[in-house]
Amino acid sequence: MNKNVKIVTNKLLKYKVNLIMGLIAMVLYAVFSGATITLLAPLFDYVFTNLDRAVEYNTISEISNVLWDSTVNKFTNSDFNFFDRSSYDGIIEGYKEILELSNPIQLLYFVIIVIVVALLLKNVFYVANRFFFSVLKAKSVRDIRNEVFTSYLSQSIAFFNKNKVGDSIVRMVDDVNIISNLYISSIFNVLRDVISIVIFIFIALFINAKLFLLSLMIVPIFTFGVNFLGKKIKKYAKRIQRQASTLFSNIEEVLSSMKIVKAFSKEDFERKRMNQINSSYMRLRIKSQIYASLNVPLSELTSMATGIIVIVLGAQMINSDSSNFSLGSFTAFLGAIFSILHPLKVVTKAYTDIKKAGVSLGRINEVVGLSPEINEIDNPKEIKSFEDSIEIKNVSFGYHKDKEVIKNLSLTIKKGQSIGIVGSSGSGKSTLINLINRMYDFNSGQILIDGENIKNFKIYDLRSLFGLVTQESILFSETIENNIKYGTNKEVSHDDVVNAAEIAYAKEFIEELQDSYKHRLETKGSDLSGGQKQRICIARSIVGNPPILIFDEATSALDTDSEKNVQIAIEKATKNRTVIMIAHRLSTIINCDKIVVMDKGEIVGVGTHEELLKNNTRYAELSGSQNL
C-alpha cells in the first residue's frame, strides 16, 4: 500500500505552492470561524446586562481606538512573554475593563461590525482554500492520467490483444477520480460530528416561534442566490460532460487504433494531443469547482444576516417591558439558531472509500509500473533508408510460450521486389509482418535489414521505413488532410497531401466533398464508403514516402467495385517501392515478383504464380477454390 500511496504523494508534492497556500487558507478559515463564535461573548456580558453602568466610551470610534491602543501597549510591553499564559490574562482583563465602560448599544454595533468582517474574511479564505485545493486536485489528476496514458502508449500490440480497452478507460477515469477524491479531499474529517437540524428547529420554535419565523426573512434572497449559482454550475457541468466525452472518445479511439499509432510512430503526437484535451478538461473542472464552492459562503452570509436579525430583534424583545423573553432564553435560542445554520458535512462510508481507493491505487500502479514488452537496446543505431534486403532467418514466434505461430521461418525480400503472402486464416501471414516492424518480438532467430538485426535499431527509425495499410480502414475523427498527414512525422505540405491522394486514387472523391481536404470525418470515417476510406489509408501510408509498403489484406473487406478502385490505387502506390502484400484473394497478388505460400506457421512454397501452380499443391488448392 505504501508504494501505491507514493504515486499520489509525489504528484501532490510536485505542486508545493498550491499545497502550502491551501493549507494556510484552511488554517485562516478555521481561525476566523472560531472568531465569529468567540466575538458573541461580549454581547451577553456587556450589552444586555448592567445597562445603568457608568459609560466612558460613547461611540464606535472611541471603543475601537481604546481597544487598539490597549492591544498595542500590551504586546509591546517589555514584560509581555509570548509563551506565558499570564501575559494573555492581563490582555483579557484590560479588554474587560474597556468593555465595562462602553456604551451598550454602541458596543453592540461595534461587535456586529467585527463579526461581519470576520465572517467575510472567513469566507474569503474558504474560497481561497477550495481554489488552491481544486487546482491541486485537478493538476494531480491530470498528471496521473497522463502518466497512465503514456504507459499505455509504450506497450506492445500484444498487451492490447490481452487487455480490454474499456478497462483501460475505467482505470484512467474512475480509478484516478477515486484516488483524487480520497486523498486530496477531507480524508481526516471522518470523526466530524453531525448535529440534527430537526432537533434545533424544534428547540427554536419551542422557545420563541415568532422570532424564529422573523429570522427566515432572508430566505428569499438566499433562494435567489442558490438559483443563480445553480444555473452557473449546470452550465459548466454540461461543458464538462461535453469535454469529458471528447476526452474519453480520444482515449478510446487512440487505444483501439494502437496498431496505426505504433506503425507511424505517433506516440509523441498522441501524448501532446491528449495533454491538450486533458488540460482543457482540467480548466473546466476548476471553474466548476469555484462556482460550487460559493454555495458555502452564500450559506454563511445567510447565516450572518439571519444572526443579525435575531440579535437585533432579540435585543429589542429583551429590553421591551412587555416582553417576557429573558436573557437565558435568548442565549439558548441563539445556540439553537447557530446550530441550525452551521454547515453540516457528513463523511459517509469512510471505511468503504478507503478500501475502494486502495483497490484503485493498486490498479493504477499496475499500469504505471508496467515495463514495455518491446524495448530498445542501449545506444540503438539509426536507420534512415532501405538499401538492399530484408532477411528473415530461422525465426520462431508464439503469442504463448507453449504454442508457436511462426516456426523456424526463413525468407529474403530484396529491395524493389513485390512479395505476395498467401495462406488460410491462422497460417501466420499477419504475424510475420508484425515481426518485421517489431509490433512483436520474435522468440528465436533473426530479422535483418541491410544486414543489421532490427533489434539494434531505434524503434522510431525502424517503423518509419514502413507504410502500412490494414484490412480495417482505421481513420480518426479529424480532417481528411490530417488523417493523411498522420502517416508520417515529417513536415509535409498540402501539396504533398494532394499528391499522395492522387497516387492513392482518392483525389477525385475528396475534392468533390464540400470542404475537400478540410472535411472532418465522422467517427471511424463512417461518412465514407469502404473503398474511399481504404484509399485514404493508402494515401496515409505513402505521404511520408516510405521505402517499404505493407498491405495486410487491404481489399478483403471490400465489395467488387470498391476492390477494383482500391486495386488501382495499390498499383499506383507500389510503383518503385518494395511491397509486401498479404491477401486471401490470389487475384490481388497474382502479378507479384514472388509469392510466399504459408501454412500452419511455415513457408510451404515460394515462386511466381505460374511456378506455384505447377509445383505447389497447397497453392494449387487455393487457386482452384477461387477459380483462378
Side-chain angles (χ1 to χ4, degrees):
M1 185 66 177
N2 290 336
K3 183 180 179 181
N4 293 337
V5 173
K6 189 176 180 181
I7 297 173
V8 181
T9 304
N10 289 340
K11 295 295 180 292
L12 295 178
L13 292 178
K14 181 179 177 181
Y15 302 104
K16 294 183 178 67
V17 172
N18 287 304
L19 180 61
I20 292 171
M21 294 302 294
L23 291 172
I24 291 173
M26 184 173 67
V27 170
L28 291 174
Y29 168 74
V31 168
F32 283 103
S33 294
T36 57
I37 302 300
T38 304
L39 287 168
L40 292 176
L43 296 178
F44 307 117
D45 293 339
Y46 303 104
V47 174
F48 306 118
T49 60
N50 194 18
L51 300 179
D52 296 329
R53 63 180 182 264
V55 173
E56 188 172 331
Y57 310 113
N58 287 293
T59 65
I60 293 175
S61 177
E62 290 178 354
I63 295 171
S64 60
N65 288 336
V66 71
L67 285 171
W68 174 255
D69 291 341
S70 175
T71 302
V72 172
N73 290 335
K74 293 292 184 181
F75 276 100
T76 56
N77 193 299
S78 58
D79 295 333
F80 178 78
N81 186 342
F82 189 81
F83 299 101
D84 187 357
R85 182 176 176 178
S86 62
S87 295
Y88 295 100
D89 291 339
I91 294 174
I92 294 172
E93 288 301 321
Y95 288 160
K96 288 181 178 179
E97 291 176 5
I98 295 170
L99 296 177
E100 185 67 39
L101 296 173
S102 299
N103 181 289
I105 300 302
Q106 295 300 310
L107 180 59
L108 168 65
Y109 295 144
F110 171 77
V111 173
I112 288 175
I113 291 171
V114 176
I115 290 175
V116 169
V117 172
L119 276 169
L120 290 173
L121 290 173
K122 167 188 172 183
N123 285 290
V124 166
F125 289 116
Y126 175 83
V127 173
N129 169 251
R130 288 296 299 268
F131 170 76
F132 287 116
F133 277 7
S134 293
V135 173
L136 178 64
K137 179 189 292 186
K139 288 183 176 180
S140 300
V141 170
R142 179 196 62 186
D143 289 354
I144 293 172
R145 189 172 286 125
N146 281 341
E147 187 170 349
V148 175
F149 189 74
T150 299
S151 179
Y152 278 128
L153 285 174
S154 69
Q155 302 309 310
S156 70
I157 296 299
F159 173 88
F160 295 97
N161 290 340
K162 293 182 288 187
N163 295 274
K164 296 179 179 178
V165 173
D167 179 67
S168 302
I169 295 175
V170 170
R171 290 177 193 251
M172 293 184 65
V173 180
D174 289 350
D175 287 322
V176 171
N177 283 338
I178 288 170
I179 292 169
S180 168
N181 292 334
L182 179 62
Y183 285 95
I184 305 175
S185 303
S186 304
I187 188 174
F188 300 111
N189 293 330
V190 175
L191 300 178
R192 181 177 297 166
D193 293 331
V194 178
I195 302 172
S196 175
I197 294 176
V198 175
I199 293 175
F200 287 103
I201 290 177
F202 176 81
I203 293 172
L205 287 170
F206 181 80
I207 294 172
N208 194 320
K210 180 181 178 181
L211 184 56
F212 176 77
L213 295 175
L214 289 172
S215 69
L216 299 179
M217 289 189 298
I218 198 68
V219 168
I221 299 175
F222 173 73
T223 302
F224 172 81
V226 168
N227 288 337
F228 171 79
L229 289 178
K231 291 179 181 178
K232 286 287 186 181
I233 293 170
K234 184 178 180 180
K235 180 179 74 172
Y236 277 100
K238 289 181 178 179
R239 292 181 180 178
I240 288 170
Q241 288 303 104
R242 284 197 296 268
Q243 188 64 19
S245 296
T246 302
L247 176 68
F248 300 156
S249 296
N250 182 69
I251 294 169
E252 182 180 6
E253 189 170 69
V254 171
L255 297 184
S256 62
S257 308
M258 191 55 66
K259 187 172 183 179
I260 294 299
V261 176
K262 293 285 186 182
F264 297 111
S265 301
K266 302 299 290 191
E267 291 92 336
D268 190 59
F269 172 85
E270 291 298 346
R271 189 180 296 111
K272 290 177 181 177
R273 184 164 70 168
M274 172 63 182
N275 185 57
Q276 291 175 349
I277 297 173
N278 202 13
S279 294
S280 178
Y281 181 74
M282 176 199 74
R283 288 189 290 271
L284 288 173
R285 292 282 299 180
I286 291 173
K287 290 180 180 179
S288 175
Q289 289 292 326
I290 292 172
Y291 276 114
S293 71
L294 293 176
N295 270 322
V296 172
L298 179 61
S299 178
E300 288 284 349
L301 293 172
T302 303
S303 301
M304 177 187 69
T306 304
I308 292 173
I309 292 172
V310 170
I311 292 168
V312 172
L313 295 179
Q316 292 177 354
M317 288 182 180
I318 289 174
N319 288 298
S320 172
D321 294 334
S322 60
S323 174
N324 59 359
F325 195 45
S326 67
L327 179 60
S329 297
F330 182 61
T331 304
F333 184 86
L334 276 178
I337 287 293
F338 280 104
S339 295
I340 293 169
L341 297 174
H342 188 275
L344 299 177
K345 296 179 182 179
V346 181
V347 177
T348 59
K349 299 179 182 178
Y351 179 77
T352 304
D353 286 346
I354 291 172
K355 287 290 185 181
K356 187 176 181 181
V359 172
S360 295
L361 277 169
R363 284 164 55 84
I364 291 299
N365 190 48
E366 286 175 5
V367 177
V368 173
L370 281 173
S371 298
E373 295 181 18
I374 308 297
N375 293 297
E376 292 182 345
I377 63 171
D378 295 334
N379 302 314
K381 296 181 179 180
E382 294 184 354
I383 179 170
K384 300 301 182 183
S385 62
F386 174 52
E387 302 295 340
D388 184 49
S389 65
I390 300 171
E391 297 176 82
I392 303 169
K393 295 184 175 181
N394 306 116
V395 167
S396 296
F397 169 78
Y399 297 104
H400 305 286
K401 293 181 179 179
D402 57 343
K403 186 178 181 180
E404 289 186 339
V405 178
I406 300 293
K407 304 171 185 176
N408 197 34
L409 189 148
S410 296
L411 178 68
T412 299
I413 302 171
K414 290 290 185 180
K415 180 180 179 180
Q417 279 189 327
S418 59
I419 304 296
I421 302 177
V422 298
S424 58
S425 296
S427 60
K429 305 184 300 296
S430 296
T431 301
L432 176 61
I433 299 306
N434 287 330
L435 294 176
I436 295 175
N437 60 4
R438 289 198 75 189
M439 294 296 175
Y440 303 97
D441 270 344
F442 43 87
N443 299 336
S444 62
Q446 288 184 312
I447 297 179
L448 310 176
I449 292 183
D450 295 341
E452 185 71 46
N453 193 318
I454 62 172
K455 292 185 178 180
N456 296 334
F457 293 131
K458 290 182 178 179
I459 294 175
Y460 178 96
D461 286 352
L462 174 66
R463 291 176 181 163
S464 295
L465 297 177
F466 298 90
L468 176 68
V469 182
T470 60
Q471 178 179 0
E472 181 184 0
S473 305
I474 299 173
L475 297 172
F476 298 99
S477 301
E478 262 286 358
T479 63
I480 290 178
E481 181 167 359
N482 286 342
N483 268 284
I484 294 175
K485 285 182 176 180
Y486 201 93
T488 181
N489 290 303
K490 302 174 185 176
E491 289 292 330
V492 292
S493 66
H494 178 71
D495 289 340
D496 294 325
V497 172
V498 173
N499 183 55
E502 186 172 10
I503 293 173
Y505 200 53
K507 180 181 177 182
E508 183 177 350
F509 82 80
I510 292 174
E511 293 182 351
E512 287 177 355
L513 298 171
Q514 183 176 353
D515 296 321
S516 189
Y517 291 89
K518 299 300 180 183
H519 174 77
R520 183 174 291 273
L521 298 179
E522 294 181 5
T523 303
K524 297 184 178 181
S526 59
D527 50 336
L528 299 179
S529 69
Q532 289 174 331
K533 289 191 290 184
Q534 197 67 305
R535 279 178 275 166
I536 290 176
C537 290
I538 293 172
R540 177 177 63 194
S541 71
I542 63 176
V543 71
N545 196 29
I548 306 167
L549 287 181
I550 298 174
F551 293 89
D552 189 353
E553 302 191 31
T555 62
S556 62
L558 303 177
D559 57 48
T560 303
D561 290 336
S562 296
E563 182 183 4
K564 288 179 181 178
N565 289 330
V566 171
Q567 194 61 46
I568 293 172
I570 291 174
E571 289 173 4
K572 293 178 69 176
T574 55
K575 287 182 180 179
N576 303 318
R577 299 180 196 271
T578 303
V579 181
I580 304 171
M581 194 175 299
I582 298 172
H584 273 303
R585 299 171 185 171
L586 300 188
S587 58
T588 306
I589 50 88
I590 197 170
N591 294 320
C592 287
D593 298 328
K594 185 190 297 184
I595 298 173
V596 178
V597 185
M598 293 189 66
D599 188 45
K600 298 179 181 178
E602 299 178 316
I603 293 178
V604 295
V606 178
T608 63
H609 173 67
E610 290 78 12
E611 291 171 346
L612 290 170
L613 279 177
K614 293 178 182 179
N615 304 319
N616 190 273
T617 303
R618 180 59 184 148
Y619 187 81
E621 290 174 354
L622 292 172
S623 178
S625 66
Q626 297 180 27
N627 297 317
L628 286 179

